[in-house]
Amino acid sequence: MIESLPLLRAGGHPARGTDFTALDIRTTGLRPGHVVELAAVRVRPDGSVAGELSTLVDPGPGVPPGPVLLHGITRADLDGAPAFGAALGSLLNLCRGSVVVAHDLPFVAAFLDHEAARLGADVPVLPGVDTLAAVRAAVELPNHRLATVAPAFGIPARPGPSALSGARTVAQLAVRLFGRHGFTFATPPVLPVLPRFAAGPLRPRADVPVAEPGWMAEAVERVAIGPGGDAYLDLLAGVVADRHLAPEEVSALAELAAEAGWPADRVRSTHERFVVALREVAERDGVVTAAEARELRQVATALGVGAAGDLRPAAGAKPARVLVLGATAAADQLRARVLAEGVQLAKKLTASVTHLVADPTVPANEPRRARAAELGADVLDVRSAPVALGFEPPPAPPAVMPPASWTPKVVGGRILMGAGLLLMVIVVLAMFGGTPLAAGIFVAVLGVGALLGGWWLAEPAPR
C-alpha cells in the first residue's frame, strides 16, 4: 500500500509544492494484527494544515483491543466504531496527490497492508517517506522516539496518547526535514491517480491533554536506545515517562513481549538495560535529586531490576538545563546535541534554566534573552554554545609564526649588514694606522657592498 522513497540531503528533486499526509496508528500488538485507531494529517509545504482525519477502528466483534493501559482504547470504545474498510476511503481521499509520511513507516505500512489484505482490497501504491530514517540522517540523538524527536526539532506540542496527536507531530516534522534540513527526493515521487472514494462515518476519540513532562519523561528523552532499538524498549520508555509504572502496565508490557515471541530472559535483560541507562542519565550531570532517586527506584522495583538500589541523592547543586531558541537546522542540531550529551533540554524558560542559546533567527530584542539574564542564565549564540556547554574543547590558539625579523632571509641580511659595518670600522682604524689608500678603498667598497646587500635582504617586503 505504501512504497518508501529514498531521500538525499541535497542534489535531488526538491519537495517544493509537495503536500505531505502524515499517518499514525494504534494497534493490538507489536506484530501486524489489527488497527484500533487511525489518524492522518495533511500539511502544505509551509506547514499549514490542509485537512485531518481521526477515527477509532473496530477490529471485529469481540476482538480484544490490545494493550489498553498503553494506548488507552477499551473494547467499549471500539463498539460502534467503523471497520477499517469503512475508514479506508476517507484515508485515501485525504492522501490523494500527496506523499505519505510516518515515523517508522515500515511498521505502519505492515499493519495497513495486513488490514487491506484481510479485506481483499486492491489499494494503489502510495509514495511514502520514513521520518524515522530521515531524522537519523539529520541529527544524532540518543533515541529516535517521536517524543524525543519533537523537542529536538523545536516542535512545541508533545505527542500525546492519541494517533491524531502523533500524526500532527509527524506532519510538522516532515515540513522541517524537507524545509530547513534540505532533504530532497532521490527520484521524483509518482503520485497515483486516485478516484474519489465514498467516505463512511468516522469516530474520533477525544484527545487527552498532555501533562507537563516531569524528570522521568525528560530523562527518557536522553536514554540511549540506539538505531537498532527494539519496539518493546520504545514502548517501555513511553510507559515510564508518566513518572509512575504500575504493576498492571508491567503485565501489559509482558503480554506484548510474549505475543511478539520474546522469551522471559530477553525481557528481563531489556529491563536491566533500560534501568541502567536511566541511572546513567541521572548521574551524568553529577547531581541526583531526591525526586530523581525516588522515581528511578520506583521504576526499577516495578520492573524487578536492582540497578538503582544504591543510588544516593546529592543536594545543593544545580544541574545544567539548556533552552535553545531558533528555527534553523543549526538550532535543531544543537538541541539534539544537548540530549545526546545527557543534558536536560528545557521546553520553556523557567528559573531552572542555566543556559539560553539563540540562533540568528531570534531577534536581539527577544524578551526571553533579557529574562534569562535576569534569572542568572548564560545567554549564548548557537556557534559558541558547544564550547561553553563543555561539549567541545576550546579551539586551539593559532600557531605562532616566527616574527619577520627571524626568517632565514632576514637573519642572513642582518648578519651581512653587521659584517659590512665591521669592515667599515676596520677601514677607518686602518687609515689612521697608515694603511695604503688603495687597500683602504678596496676594503671600504666591500663593507659598503655588504651593508647594501644586507639591507636589501633584511628590509621587509612591501605589503
Side-chain angles (χ1 to χ4, degrees):
M1 180 173 172
I2 304 174
E3 180 184 15
S4 183
L5 299 175
L7 302 179
L8 299 174
R9 294 301 301 272
H13 299 269
R16 192 179 302 110
T18 302
D19 281 10
F20 296 97
T21 301
L23 305 183
D24 200 9
I25 58 176
R26 299 294 178 263
T27 66
T28 55
L30 296 175
R31 289 183 174 180
H34 292 278
V35 173
V36 294
E37 187 182 20
L38 171 67
V41 175
R42 181 160 177 159
V43 289
R44 301 182 181 94
D46 63 358
S48 59
V49 177
E52 291 186 344
L53 174 154
S54 173
T55 185
L56 294 167
V57 178
D58 187 356
V63 176
V68 177
L69 289 170
L70 303 184
H71 55 48
I73 301 171
T74 66
R75 180 61 249 184
D77 294 329
L78 300 178
D79 292 335
F84 182 82
L88 182 58
S90 297
L91 174 64
L92 293 175
N93 288 340
L94 188 62
C95 292
R96 180 189 295 109
S98 68
V99 173
V100 172
V101 292
H103 204 63
D104 196 354
L105 181 65
F107 178 86
V108 174
F111 272 89
L112 296 182
D113 286 344
H114 198 69
E115 290 283 15
R118 188 180 290 113
L119 292 172
D122 185 14
V123 182
V125 176
L126 304 173
V129 167
D130 184 8
T131 57
L132 175 60
V135 166
R136 285 174 176 160
V139 297
E140 293 185 11
L141 282 165
N143 66 74
H144 296 85
R145 300 172 55 249
L146 195 56
T148 299
V149 171
F153 278 74
I155 299 173
R158 294 174 60 86
S162 72
L164 179 58
S165 176
R168 286 170 174 166
T169 302
V170 174
Q172 296 305 315
L173 178 59
V175 171
R176 284 161 168 77
L177 287 168
F178 283 90
R180 61 196 189 208
H181 285 269
F183 276 84
T184 59
F185 298 108
T187 57
V190 178
L191 304 178
V193 178
L194 297 177
R196 173 65 63 174
F197 294 93
L202 303 178
R203 188 176 179 180
R205 68 161 163 164
D207 201 9
V208 179
V210 181
E212 189 69 22
W215 172 81
M216 185 61 74
E218 294 179 339
V220 167
E221 293 174 3
R222 293 175 276 153
V223 168
I225 294 178
D230 299 304
Y232 176 81
L233 193 56
D234 179 52
L235 282 175
L236 176 61
V239 170
V240 304
D242 64 358
R243 310 186 213 183
H244 181 71
L245 185 61
E248 295 81 5
E249 292 174 316
V250 178
S251 298
L253 286 168
E255 290 176 6
L256 274 178
E259 182 264 339
W262 281 34
D265 58 345
R266 183 180 179 185
V267 173
R268 179 171 179 78
S269 66
T270 301
H271 290 175
E272 290 176 346
R273 180 158 55 104
F274 181 72
V275 172
V276 168
L278 271 178
R279 175 171 181 155
E280 290 176 351
V281 166
E283 295 177 331
R284 191 171 299 167
D285 57 16
V287 182
V288 181
T289 67
E292 293 171 359
R294 182 175 61 254
E295 291 181 27
L296 188 51
R297 289 196 193 99
Q298 189 273 329
V299 168
T301 301
L303 294 176
V305 178
D310 60 343
L311 192 64
R312 295 290 180 267
K318 185 178 181 180
R321 186 174 174 84
V322 183
L323 175 63
V324 182
L325 306 179
T328 61
D332 290 346
Q333 288 164 354
L334 181 60
R335 280 186 281 260
R337 180 75 179 273
V338 169
L339 293 173
E341 295 286 347
V343 176
Q344 296 182 38
L345 179 65
K347 313 304 185 297
K348 59 184 179 180
L349 181 59
T350 64
S352 63
V353 170
T354 59
H355 300 79
L356 182 142
V357 184
D359 75 0
T361 66
V362 181
N365 60 352
E366 159 64 47
R368 284 174 291 183
R369 288 180 183 263
R371 180 56 181 160
E374 292 174 2
L375 293 172
D378 293 336
V379 181
L380 310 168
D381 64 80
V382 75
R383 290 186 177 181
S384 63
V387 173
L389 293 168
F391 300 162
E392 297 176 3
V400 179
M401 299 297 293
S405 59
W406 292 103
T407 62
K409 179 181 176 182
V410 171
V411 171
R414 292 188 175 182
I415 291 175
L416 192 57
M417 289 174 68
L421 286 173
L422 180 60
L423 287 175
M424 295 300 294
V425 170
I426 292 174
V427 167
V428 172
L429 293 175
M431 294 296 292
F432 280 105
T435 301
L437 181 62
I441 293 175
F442 176 75
V443 175
V445 170
L446 291 178
V448 171
L451 280 170
L452 292 175
W455 176 83
W456 180 80
L457 290 174
E459 179 68 13
R463 295 182 181 276

